[in-house]
Amino acid sequence: MNSTRRNFLKKSGSLVAGAVVTPLVSTKLGATIAPSDTVRIALIGCNGMGHYDLKDHLKIPGVDCVAMCDVDENILNERAADITKLTGKAPKLYKDYRKIMDDKSIDAVIVGTPDHWHCLPTVHACEAGKDVYVEKPLANSIAECQVMLGAARRYNRVVQVGQQQRSGQHWHDALAVVKSQQLGKIRKIKTWGFFEYGKTSPRVPDSPVPAGVDFEMWLGPAPSRTFNTGRFHGNWRFSWDYGGGLLTDWGVHLLDIALWAVDGDMPKSILSAGGIYAYKDNAIETADTQTVIYEYDDLLIEWEHAGGLNKGYYGRNYGVAFIGNNGTLVINREGWEIMGEIESGKPKIEALPLQAADKKDHEKHVSNFIACVKSRQHPICDVEIGRNSAMLAHMGNIAYRTGDKLYWDKTQQQFKDNPNANGLMLPSYRNPWEFPVL
Ligand SMILES: NC(=O)c1ccc[n+]([C@@H]2O[C@H](COP(=O)([O-])OP(=O)(O)OC[C@H]3O[C@@H](n4cnc5c(N)ncnc54)[C@H](O)[C@@H]3O)[C@@H](O)[C@H]2O)c1
């Protein structure tokens, strides 16, 4: 460790570098697995991130993949062949995740489906006594996030949300500095994402459902719609029925870091503006350009995105900046640095050059999940943390969609005097799927 970095960490009063990241809370969750036992996992949703999640789980000794499920047979067969080659064991294959719930030998599931399909498998897995690694954002609506938290608590399950930054050492190092007040009073936390892929693909005509795809099951609880590749694998992020655009896709990761600094506190008001300004002809419903302002008593959290671009602030296309009276700390997955303010020609704080990340966030996150499955501790990104950051992201989209300045009632967990906005907290589930009741 270089001496400047050591200085910062020492001053922060927390020797976090190299330290083991401890769980958020220590209440024990219903014990089922002995530390020496193999953890038998199943993957639901195998294409992109689910496959990546599974492969990192399989790097941990004592983890077996016993089942895989996808509504697209082509993806399922291709990914299963890959896993069989990797492990030498063929998992059981399913097209309907409910069959996995019936299999008592499965200890845990990974949910790697699109956002509109996170809630039901997670709640059903909790009911079936299985632990869950669910991808971010926790769900595609605030009400689903709440019921998932409720299910995890009611059935005493370990639920880790795929916000892997929570396991990354450099995020812990930087947050310790932020919390130490060396930066002075933090008055603004700026978060942003300028991503090329945020413009999605050009609009294309509807087409027949590809062979091997159970499209009804892909839609699941979402409204009935024709098949269009612009809303299918990967591209669903930019249609409201399945995702919330860059704000819930990347925003949720970065807003989570802002919430970490304020201990999960929710804002008193939310304001957003934006639109489809650059890519009017593309397959996109969510805003390609959007700003959200979250107001606290003496702090602003900001989110800003511009899909299709790749230049952002402080020379980074995405990141978080903690802006304090003495200096600004900027961080993303590459590393973090501090830029000091100058007053009367003198630096108010020592600048800190880039502290490179070890890029092990995801592996550590997955290991933390498996360790918690065995120890029955809450994981580092417990479902409550995932609920909070998904909620913050959805609040921004609800402010954008209503065009109103929204006021959050922390006690009632709803917007004050705004039925329209409160209506957007709830998903409408299509028959035969029902919103879970606990
Ligand atoms: N943590 C991260 O850094 C990170 C990165 C990328 C994506 N993600 C998240 O991972 C999730 C998946 O994203 P992706 O890009 O891999 O999407 P994708 O569209 O590429 O893959 C989703 C897969 O789920 C399958 N699926 C859909 N409904 C299903 C159902 N009912 N049962 C079983 N399978 C079903 C699809 O057929 C598809 O194969 C999203 O929630 C996304 O936000 C997280």
Side-chain angles (χ1 to χ4, degrees):
M1 199 191 325
N2 71 41
S3 67
T4 334
R5 179 167 181 244
R6 193 180 303 119
N7 254 349
F8 268 96
L9 295 172
K10 222 193 291 165
K11 275 195 226 151
S12 75
S14 163
L15 282 175
V16 285
V20 176
V21 164
T22 48
L24 180 74
V25 271
S26 59
T27 334
K28 285 256 183 182
L29 298 167
T32 47
I33 301 181
S36 56
D37 282 353
T38 298
V39 178
R40 294 159 59 89
I41 56 174
L43 171 63
I44 304 168
C46 306
N47 191 29
M49 197 61 193
H51 184 231
Y52 187 77
D53 288 335
L54 176 61
K55 287 208 295 192
D56 268 0
H57 276 86
L58 292 173
K59 288 180 187 162
I60 306 166
V63 174
D64 260 4
C65 171
V66 292
M68 292 174 75
C69 167
D70 203 290
V71 297
D72 182 341
E73 202 171 87
N74 312 297
I75 301 266
L76 183 62
N77 291 337
E78 194 184 307
R79 296 301 191 220
D82 184 54
I83 297 302
T84 306
K85 196 166 152 207
L86 192 74
T87 63
K89 290 181 234 169
K92 280 192 217 158
L93 303 187
Y94 297 104
K95 284 181 85 174
D96 186 332
Y97 78 90
R98 289 170 293 190
K99 301 240 166 63
I100 286 176
M101 304 306 159
D102 298 337
D103 185 339
K104 300 237 174 322
S105 72
I106 293 173
D107 304 304
V109 298
I110 300 169
V111 178
T113 48
D115 305 353
H116 71 289
W117 253 126
H118 286 183
C119 178
L120 288 176
T122 299
V123 171
H124 291 157
C126 290
E127 279 170 358
K130 303 183 192 315
D131 296 322
V132 184
Y133 185 103
V134 55
E135 265 311 332
K136 52 46 62 176
L138 185 60
N140 199 32
S141 68
I142 291 178
E144 288 172 305
C145 291
Q146 300 287 34
V147 83
M148 290 161 86
L149 170 59
R153 297 294 183 258
R154 165 163 296 196
Y155 300 105
N156 271 323
R157 303 324 303 169
V158 172
V159 178
Q160 172 89 302
V161 183
Q163 290 161 201
Q164 59 269 22
Q165 291 73 218
R166 286 275 174 167
S167 291
Q169 190 61 55
H170 81 287
W171 300 94
H172 282 261
D173 294 348
L175 262 292
V177 171
V178 170
K179 292 199 169 196
S180 74
Q181 303 184 356
Q182 289 173 70
L183 300 171
K185 161 82 193 127
I186 306 281
R187 57 173 82 172
K188 188 189 271 191
I189 307 175
K190 189 173 179 60
T191 63
W192 69 96
F194 288 51
F195 287 99
E196 193 118 18
Y197 82 94
K199 64 184 173 197
T200 64
S201 38
R203 213 171 276 163
V204 292
D206 288 346
S207 49
V209 175
V213 173
D214 182 346
F215 186 54
E216 272 303 303
M217 192 68 176
W218 188 95
L219 287 170
S224 183
R225 247 177 133 170
T226 50
F227 181 84
N228 191 292
T229 54
R231 299 188 291 267
F232 197 44
H233 292 330
N235 293 329
W236 48 262
R237 289 168 162 74
F238 304 95
S239 295
W240 294 117
D241 290 338
Y242 325 118
L246 277 176
L247 175 49
T248 55
D249 195 37
W250 259 94
V252 81
H253 278 306
L254 303 170
L255 288 169
D256 183 34
I257 306 305
L259 279 181
W260 188 346
V262 299
D263 299 324
D265 193 20
M266 285 291 140
K268 59 180 188 184
S269 80
I270 307 104
L271 190 65
S272 176
I276 303 175
Y277 297 157
Y279 301 104
K280 293 186 193 303
D281 294 331
N282 280 15
I284 179 169
E285 293 173 2
T286 56
D288 62 21
T289 310
Q290 188 177 352
T291 299
V292 188
I293 297 170
Y294 301 95
E295 186 192 15
Y296 290 75
D297 283 338
D298 56 1
L299 167 81
L300 293 179
I301 295 179
E302 257 182 29
W303 165 257
E304 189 177 332
H305 73 243
L309 302 183
N310 54 29
K311 299 270 180 282
Y313 298 103
Y314 307 99
R316 293 157 173 87
N317 73 311
Y318 72 97
V320 183
F322 294 93
I323 302 170
N325 283 341
N326 297 340
T328 295
L329 185 152
V330 188
I331 183 164
N332 69 10
R333 288 180 181 171
E334 302 300 311
W336 60 287
E337 67 181 297
I338 294 178
M339 299 157 200
E341 287 291 324
I342 310 277
E343 196 172 68
S344 309
K346 284 197 192 137
K348 288 174 97 176
I349 189 175
E350 212 178 334
L352 183 73
L354 187 76
Q355 307 297 299
D358 64 10
K359 308 215 171 153
K360 296 202 168 121
D361 300 9
H362 193 264
E363 280 180 34
K364 286 182 182 168
H365 205 52
V366 159
S367 296
N368 172 260
F369 173 59
I370 295 300
C372 292
V373 166
K374 295 188 173 186
S375 70
R376 311 313 297 165
Q377 302 285 315
H378 285 280
I380 193 91
C381 190
D382 176 61
V383 59
E384 189 170 346
I385 295 178
R387 188 276 311 257
N388 291 347
S389 37
M391 231 163 83
L392 200 66
H394 286 302
M395 284 174 173
N397 270 339
I398 294 175
Y400 165 69
R401 295 177 83 180
T402 57
D404 295 336
K405 180 170 182 179
L406 304 177
Y407 295 86
W408 183 246
D409 184 330
K410 290 183 194 176
T411 316
Q412 297 299 318
Q413 292 278 297
Q414 59 177 23
F415 300 106
K416 289 180 193 161
D417 306 322
N418 197 322
N420 220 0
N422 285 330
L424 287 171
M425 287 171 47
L426 311 163
S428 63
Y429 273 31
R430 184 175 64 120
N431 244 346
W433 302 100
E434 287 179 6
F435 186 79
V437 179
L438 295 180

